[in-house]
Amino acid sequence: MTGTPRQPPSATPASTFHVTLQFSPDGPSVEGSWGDAGTALRKFRSWVGTHGSRDGVVIKLTEQEADGRATVLRIWTMAGGEEVLDAGP
């Protein structure tokens, strides 16, 4: 057999999940990144529990695909609560 061997599906890059906590509009933020959707969702919910009751806080869970496309999956604000924007984790 000649040519370039095909890589198994597990060798292709997977999505990365980012959780961003913005403390106020145009203010400081922190972000964490995980390769596992469940871990990122637990961190999202943890930050909602510890910071979600503060006015002006925005918490986002975003999936970034290997090709660079990013999709916001969930967002939390005190005024709006949790909004599920995509059928991610």
Side-chain angles (χ1 to χ4, degrees):
M1 190 186 227
T2 62
T4 306
R6 288 184 48 167
Q7 294 193 9
S10 61
T12 60
S15 294
T16 302
F17 299 88
H18 305 280
V19 180
T20 304
L21 167 58
Q22 180 99 30
F23 292 98
S24 62
D26 300 320
S29 65
V30 292
E31 180 178 292
S33 300
W34 295 269
D36 178 70
T39 301
L41 181 57
R42 283 190 298 278
K43 181 52 75 173
F44 173 86
R45 290 185 173 149
S46 170
W47 285 358
V48 167
T50 57
H51 302 287
S53 64
R54 296 178 184 177
D55 195 29
V57 163
V58 177
I59 304 167
K60 291 181 185 177
L61 172 59
T62 305
E63 178 181 10
Q64 184 160 0
E65 298 180 39
D67 64 5
R69 289 182 295 158
T71 304
V72 177
L73 304 175
R74 296 171 186 257
I75 190 167
W76 169 272
T77 61
M78 190 173 88
E82 182 176 349
E83 294 179 55
V84 178
L85 305 172
D86 200 299

